[in-house]
Amino acid sequence: MLKELTGTLLIGLLAWAYQASHPPPPCICGSSGCPPITASRIKLRDGRHLAFKEVGVSKQIAKYKIIFIHGHAHCMHENIASRTSPEVIEELGMYVVSFDRPGYGESDPDPKRTAKSFALDVEEFADQLGLGSKFYVIGFSMGGQLVWDCLKYIPHRLAGATLMAPAVNYWWPGFPSNLSKEGFSGMLPQDQWAIRVAHHTPCLTYWWNTQRWFPAFAMPAGNMGILSRQDIEIVSTFPKENPHQAYPRQQGDFESIHRDLKIVFGKPEYDPMDLENPFPNNEGSVHVWQGDEDFRLVPPILQRYVAKRLPWLRYHELKGAGHLFPFDSGMSEVILKTLVLGEVAASS
């Protein structure tokens, strides 16, 4: 009897372990019973599709061609140009295209995604859209960290780059351990645990963020405790009804928000603090924008250290700002103009 009970418990434990480390397959857009394909898409070299959205003047006449990379739990509809006056976009001659990152919205998942493969996706995406030999990239939050991938693997294709509150990996080798610990300690305890799991036991990332015993990563759940005072004020200006609220995660959480955690906080492929200046002749520039009160999402103390290690980086720290400053009135215009014209109207 004891043997049978032990065997049953063992089988149950193994079944639980398997389920914990094997999330359900994604519901790929266009498949039977899954969300329909409604967006424009391009087909990549490996057969995957990326859905995209274009804003601004025609790319045929555009003076500046910009690819925007969205953040965690966001999608192509959160485009920096959509927060900027259409008149300004037209006056500057800007074409801005955003795309659903792999696994988000209507873009196919990429279970083999790496930092390098993502940068190559961006390069191929630009080529298929006919953006020319050089283009600009802008990324927000986790999308901002992915701009580092472009600077690492396709710097020869960039005309300039902007990273807005880019996520940091606390395990980048260039960080002094005491500094990483200080920045890490400012996060919500639940986020500290979610990030530890994503880094040390990535196979349990899905389980950790779906189990009911402990709170999961705060941002996708809409936990306001991660926001600064300015962030809360900005959120209060958002429309009450978001038509795209469910869209980013419609193919499943694992291939979108959970894979993000594994890649952003996993074992680094490289250290951004080892990058060389992609524009040694000042033919372009790289900008990092950071709120000085963004303590619970992207610690300013770590962003300052990255800027110190990379003297060619143009660092703009915004006083009183949190994580959502790109959504503040007029801020997107300042960021865009700074990138393409070198005009800094609001930095400290």
Side-chain angles (χ1 to χ4, degrees), residues 161-342:
T162 290
L163 301 82
M164 304 184 299
V168 298
N169 188 330
Y170 298 91
W171 290 271
W172 282 340
F175 282 140
S177 60
N178 63 321
L179 201 66
S180 290
K181 289 177 182 177
E182 183 178 345
F184 193 71
S185 66
M187 306 191 77
L188 294 179
Q190 68 189 79
D191 284 353
Q192 293 181 34
W193 279 107
I195 290 171
R196 287 190 187 102
V197 169
H199 181 79
H200 296 292
T201 54
C203 63
L204 294 180
T205 300
Y206 167 76
W207 170 78
W208 181 266
N209 287 281
T210 54
Q211 50 77 34
R212 304 296 182 186
W213 299 322
F214 308 105
F217 196 61
M219 182 182 287
N223 187 331
M224 298 290 279
I226 60 177
L227 302 180
S228 72
R229 287 171 297 177
Q230 187 201 64
D231 287 337
I232 293 173
E233 292 173 3
I234 291 173
V235 168
S236 70
T237 68
F238 291 171
K240 291 184 178 179
E241 297 294 329
N242 179 2
H244 309 299
Q245 184 171 358
Y247 176 84
R249 300 156 64 174
Q250 65 180 354
Q251 296 185 84
D253 283 354
F254 179 74
E255 286 296 344
S256 53
I257 61 174
H258 297 161
R259 191 169 293 281
D260 261 3
L261 294 176
K262 292 171 66 175
I263 290 176
V264 169
F265 300 114
K267 183 179 179 180
E269 290 182 36
Y270 65 94
D271 188 342
M273 286 171 274
D274 291 335
L275 293 179
E276 296 182 357
N277 185 355
F279 307 112
N281 300 316
N282 294 320
E283 65 274 30
S285 55
V286 180
H287 300 262
V288 170
W289 295 81
Q290 172 71 35
D292 73 342
E293 293 188 5
D294 189 7
F295 302 115
R296 297 197 183 279
L297 284 170
V298 183
I301 190 172
L302 297 183
Q303 214 74 273
R304 293 176 197 135
Y305 187 82
V306 173
K308 182 180 178 181
R309 287 284 304 272
L310 301 174
W312 46 266
L313 199 66
R314 302 187 185 181
Y315 180 64
H316 315 282
E317 188 166 299
L318 303 173
K319 188 173 179 58
H323 195 69
L324 301 180
F325 63 82
F327 300 95
D328 197 11
S329 177
M331 196 63 225
S332 59
E333 181 179 326
V334 171
I335 292 169
L336 286 169
K337 284 186 174 181
T338 300
L339 175 61
V340 301
L341 303 178

Side-chain angles (χ1 to χ4, degrees), residues 81-94:
S82 65
R83 293 276 170 177
T84 309
S85 163
E87 291 76 20
V88 171
I89 296 293
E90 186 172 351
E91 177 188 344
L92 292 172
M94 286 184 171

